[in-house]
């Protein structure tokens, strides 16, 4: 498979496609590595992994260079969008993985479980298959790899067929760590190879990509069945109220819609502006967009589109909008793989540009009359990844945010949630499910195992055999005592015979109250 640079058509490398047989062998090696890795104490795992961020920082220029040539994005975008979020995430897990993954006590009813305490252990799945897209190929592959590794798993990743040199670079960087052989491996190929990877039987599939491929991945995984986490597309709205700082909102809109040439799952894909400031604001956007520079390397705001296939989608959305009456700030100019950004207005929800993921430098803007209409328009889409609300009234913005059908929202900022290592990231509706980043995200790469420790020295638990009518009556009385209505005195009085039947268990009550108290200390508490 050839890797061709979208910048200038240069061949960046030739890669051999993986076969079903090599993938099976890789899976065997990954299983052995997972067993070794999960048995290493978390503190030592963290120490071994913490070298990754040091290497990444030292090699930032090399990483940025490979990303620029493979994707066409400009250097600052590669540094801020691909390197920075990984440093933040790795730093957070280096400091907190131990705490996030440790055994946690939960409170235990002394009546149902006399003399017992309980807790939850987090166990790694085993081998995680990471399947990733081309738009942020480095970050969107390394973040799930690191999360899986911190949690104690082995990883086999499949980089997008459009970003193979980035996959090779990731392999090289992990090879520099002192990890068990086979802990991080790559398979090379397209969607079909992705299906072979699933068929090889990983224990979890972490997929980032479009809705169609996400469905196919889930179907394939269902055959086994293997759990999947899907991070899919978006059609993110930005809502601007007249009481917002409009200059700041304008600059945010341009950045949100056009960074990485709009090829971001959390890009601003639809913009809604309060009627009172709509016309002036569109004018501000058009004027400012004209100053954006398309460029390459370290110059320019927008780089190249990564694939001609995506350019075709952008062109179709542009044509469809104009055919249905939209106005545009200019023609959709193309030079090689470079597109000039365009602002669109007089748009409506019958247009593809307002319904489907465009994933390119188009910013359609539509007016709304008030809070309710803004919400209705924002929620009128199948996707639900990210959204932003712009207003000087934070209470109003919070009220609206809480009713948006999304996995992430920001007030008076755009896109940034995804770069915050402590915030779980993921979608609602057709943007997928599952979370990564943050504490919840690290736990997504583990499954909970429940544990019960009984310290009773009595010969039997109250619920064990034999059963008979008298026992049944005692249990009923016991349930009424614990869960029934009325004061404690009344419940004791009416169920006295039942309580007598269980009196030998009450000595454990005190002991257990003490244990529960200990488990309920803030640093031991989970729920
Ligand atoms: P894509 O769905 O075409 O491909 C993603 C990956 O899946 C690639 O590695 C591809 O080879 C593989 N794949 C495709 N079909 C497969 C199959 N049947 N079985 C197994 N693997 C298969 O996506 P893309 O075009 O590379 O990326 C763009 C999409 O990704 C956009 O929709 C974007 O919104 C989405 N995305 C989502 C997030 C998020 O976090 N929610 C982040 C970035 C991108």
């Amino acid at each position: 498979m050839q890797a061709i640079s979208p910048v200038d058509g240069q061949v960046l490398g030739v890669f051999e496609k993986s076969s079903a047989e090599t993938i099976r062998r890789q899976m065997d090696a990954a299983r052995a590595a997972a067993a070794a890795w999960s048995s290493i104490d978390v503190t030592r795992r963290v120490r071994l992994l913490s070298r990754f961020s040091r290497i990444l920082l030292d090699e930032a220029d090399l990483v940025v260079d490979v990303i620029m040539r493979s994707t066409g994005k400009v250097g600052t975008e590669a540094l801020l969008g691909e390197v920075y979020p990984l440093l933040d995430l790795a730093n957070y897990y280096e400091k907190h993985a131990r705490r996030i993954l440790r055994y946690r006590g939960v409170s235990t009813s002394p009546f149902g479980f006399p003399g017992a305490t309980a807790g939850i252990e987090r166990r790694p799945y085993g081998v995680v298959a990471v399947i990733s897209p081309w738009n942020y190929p480095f970050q969107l592959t390394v973040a799930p790899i690191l999360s899986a590794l911190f949690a104690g798993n082995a990883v086999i990743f499949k980089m997008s067929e459009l970003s193979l040199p980035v996959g090779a670079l990731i392999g090289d960087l992990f090879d520099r760590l002192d990890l068990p052989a086979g802990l991080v491996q790559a398979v090379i190929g397209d969607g079909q190879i992705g299906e072979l990877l699933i068929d090889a039987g990983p224990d979890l599939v972490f997929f980032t990509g479009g809705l169609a491929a996400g469905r196919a991945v889930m179907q394939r995984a269902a055959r086994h069945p293997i759990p999947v986490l899907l991070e899919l597309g978006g059609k993110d709205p930005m809502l601007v109220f007249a009481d917002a700082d409009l200059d700041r909102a304008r600059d945010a809109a341009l950045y949100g819609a056009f960074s990485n040439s709009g090829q971001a799952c959390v890009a601003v894909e639809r913009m809604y502006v309060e009627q009172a400031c709509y016309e002036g604001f569109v004018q501000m956007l058009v004027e400012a967009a004209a100053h954006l520079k398309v460029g390459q390397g370290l110059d320019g705001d927008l780089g190249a589109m990564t694939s001609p296939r995506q350019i075709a989608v952008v062109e179709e959305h542009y044509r469809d909008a104009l055919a249905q009456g939209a106005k545009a700030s200019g023609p959709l100019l193309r030079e090689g793989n470079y597109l000039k950004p365009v602002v669109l207005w007089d748009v409506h929800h019958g247009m593809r540009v307002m319904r489907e993921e465009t994933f390119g430098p188009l910013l359609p803007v539509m007016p709304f009359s008030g809070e309710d209409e803004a919400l209705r328009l924002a929620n009128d889409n199948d996707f639900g990844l990210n959204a932003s609300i712009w207003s000087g009234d934070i209470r109003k913005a919070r009220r609206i945010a809480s009713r948006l059908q999304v996995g992430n929202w920001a007030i008076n900022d755009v896109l940034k949630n995804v770069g915050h290592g402590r915030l779980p990231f993921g979608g609602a509706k057709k943007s997928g499910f599952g979370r990564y980043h943050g504490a919840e995200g690290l736990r997504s790469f583990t499954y909970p195992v429940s544990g019960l420790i009984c310290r009773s020295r009595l010969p039997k638990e109250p619920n064990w055999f034999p059963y008979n009518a008298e026992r049944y009556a005692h249990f009923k009385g016991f349930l009424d005592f614990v869960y029934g209505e009325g004061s404690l005195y009344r419940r004791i009085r009416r169920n006295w015979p039942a309580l007598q039947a269980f009196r030998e268990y009450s000595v454990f009550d005190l002991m257990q109250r003490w244990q529960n108290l200990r488990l309920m200390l803030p640093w031991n508490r989970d729920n």
Side-chain angles (χ1 to χ4, degrees):
M1 301 179 83
Q2 270 194 343
I4 300 192
S5 173
V7 177
D8 51 13
Q10 204 193 335
V11 176
L12 298 173
V14 179
F15 296 80
E16 196 184 328
K17 213 172 181 173
S18 303
S19 68
E21 181 47 35
T22 46
I23 296 173
R24 264 196 301 274
R25 269 190 270 120
Q26 285 177 295
M27 190 57 72
D28 291 341
R31 262 195 208 299
W37 184 239
S38 64
S39 65
I40 296 175
D41 171 66
V42 186
T43 311
R44 188 164 146 67
R45 266 190 344 232
V46 167
R47 200 168 333 114
L48 290 169
L49 288 173
S50 62
R51 274 200 59 220
F52 184 83
S53 45
R54 312 290 107 74
I55 295 173
L56 179 55
L57 204 51
D58 289 348
E59 299 289 7
D61 288 340
L62 167 76
V63 170
V64 165
D65 188 55
V66 174
I67 295 172
M68 283 193 305
R69 283 189 289 133
S70 304
T71 62
K73 69 181 67 180
V74 288
T76 311
E77 185 59 47
L79 187 71
L80 296 182
E82 304 244 35
V83 175
Y84 163 77
L86 290 174
L87 291 172
D88 196 52
L89 187 70
N91 185 275
Y92 174 57
Y93 287 160
E94 283 162 25
K95 290 193 179 126
H96 298 283
R98 212 183 127 77
R99 177 183 58 77
I100 295 166
L101 297 173
R102 73 156 175 242
Y103 181 85
R104 312 211 132 205
V106 295
S107 63
T108 302
S109 155
F111 301 113
F113 300 85
T117 53
I120 303 164
E121 195 187 304
R122 305 297 316 194
R123 286 212 196 137
Y125 276 95
V127 180
V128 178
V130 170
I131 301 178
S132 52
W134 49 262
N135 61 328
Y136 287 86
F138 189 73
Q139 196 248 113
L140 295 173
T141 312
V142 174
I145 293 179
L146 278 178
S147 311
L149 294 179
F150 272 107
N153 303 278
V155 175
I156 302 184
F157 69 93
K158 194 201 81 62
M159 171 57 72
S160 165
E161 55 275 32
L162 296 178
S163 324
L164 295 176
V166 180
L169 171 73
I170 292 172
D172 289 346
L173 294 177
F174 278 101
D175 280 349
R176 294 201 213 169
L177 304 184
D178 189 15
L179 303 176
L183 193 70
V184 179
Q185 301 175 76
V187 302
I188 292 167
D190 52 14
Q192 270 187 333
I193 300 299
E195 295 193 345
L196 290 181
L197 174 57
I198 297 169
D199 287 345
D203 303 292
L204 173 73
V205 178
F206 186 95
F207 172 86
T208 310
L211 178 58
R215 276 201 186 105
V217 163
M218 199 165 168
Q219 270 169 356
R220 199 77 183 190
R223 292 184 183 181
H224 296 272
I226 298 166
V228 294
L229 296 175
L230 299 183
E231 301 287 343
L232 307 177
K235 190 73 193 168
D236 298 349
M238 172 169 175
L239 310 178
V240 179
F241 286 85
D243 61 359
D245 175 342
L246 294 183
D247 287 337
R248 184 176 154 84
R250 171 203 57 207
D251 291 349
L254 297 184
Y255 170 73
F258 300 141
S259 59
N260 206 30
S261 295
Q263 303 163 107
C265 57
V266 288
V268 172
E269 290 242 345
R270 299 177 283 151
M271 186 158 191
Y272 302 98
V273 179
E274 196 165 14
Q275 190 75 61
C277 63
Y278 171 73
E279 271 180 34
F281 193 75
V282 170
Q283 198 51 41
M284 287 164 71
L285 285 174
V286 171
E287 279 163 20
H291 293 109
L292 292 174
K293 278 195 301 173
V294 177
Q296 50 174 272
L298 299 183
D299 289 322
D301 306 309
L302 288 76
M305 295 291 289
T306 303
S307 88
R309 209 177 63 191
Q310 200 60 44
I311 295 178
V313 174
V314 180
E315 287 172 342
E316 281 168 27
H317 286 197
Y318 176 83
R319 275 197 298 271
D320 172 70
L322 262 61
Q324 294 198 56
K327 306 276 187 321
S329 58
L332 184 62
L333 292 176
R334 175 178 178 181
E335 233 177 84
N337 288 321
Y338 291 82
L339 287 180
K340 248 185 115 51
V342 173
V343 179
L344 296 166
W345 63 98
D346 285 358
V347 293
H348 57 74
H349 280 200
M351 296 174 179
R352 293 183 65 187
V353 76
M354 293 302 279
R355 302 214 68 83
E356 300 168 26
E357 195 176 35
T358 307
F359 230 54
L362 300 183
L363 175 57
V365 195
M366 203 175 151
F368 66 82
S369 56
E371 266 183 54
D372 286 344
E373 192 181 18
L375 260 167
R376 186 179 58 72
L377 290 168
N379 285 335
D380 179 27
N381 198 270
D382 285 344
F383 290 113
L385 193 55
N386 201 32
S388 71
I389 307 107
W390 292 76
S391 169
D393 180 349
I394 301 290
R395 279 166 68 105
K396 174 172 79 177
R398 280 291 306 267
R399 191 165 62 230
I400 292 165
S402 68
R403 293 170 63 197
L404 285 169
Q405 297 160 350
V406 291
N408 321 273
W409 52 255
I411 293 171
N412 297 332
D413 202 350
V414 282
L415 313 197
K416 278 235 218 52
N417 308 41
V418 65
H420 193 313
R422 291 163 193 246
L423 284 178
F425 181 79
K429 302 204 281 190
K430 290 194 175 134
S431 292
F433 44 80
R435 293 291 180 270
Y436 70 142
H437 301 175
E440 282 94 338
L442 185 58
R443 292 195 189 118
S444 297
F445 291 82
T446 64
Y447 60 96
V449 174
S450 73
L452 190 69
I453 304 168
C454 186
R455 293 187 171 80
S456 171
R457 292 207 186 84
L458 289 170
K460 268 178 187 267
E461 283 298 293
N463 53 308
W464 294 356
F465 298 142
Y467 287 167
N468 54 39
E470 189 188 25
R471 210 62 185 148
Y472 181 86
H474 288 159
F475 278 123
K476 249 191 102 187
F478 172 74
L479 294 180
D480 182 54
F481 163 67
V482 180
Y483 303 110
E485 285 192 350
S487 67
L488 180 64
Y489 172 72
R490 281 164 168 272
R491 282 181 287 136
I492 292 176
R493 262 196 67 179
R494 68 178 182 247
N495 296 304
W496 186 246
L499 295 180
Q500 284 306 299
F502 295 118
R503 69 178 175 280
E504 71 267 39
Y505 293 97
S506 61
V507 346
F508 289 102
D509 185 23
L510 264 182
M511 195 173 96
Q512 193 179 353
R513 270 172 205 280
W514 164 244
Q515 294 280 358
N516 275 334
L517 209 65
R518 209 170 49 82
L519 288 173
M520 287 302 102
L521 292 171
W523 49 91
N524 285 330
R525 194 167 53 214
D526 198 35
N527 50 42

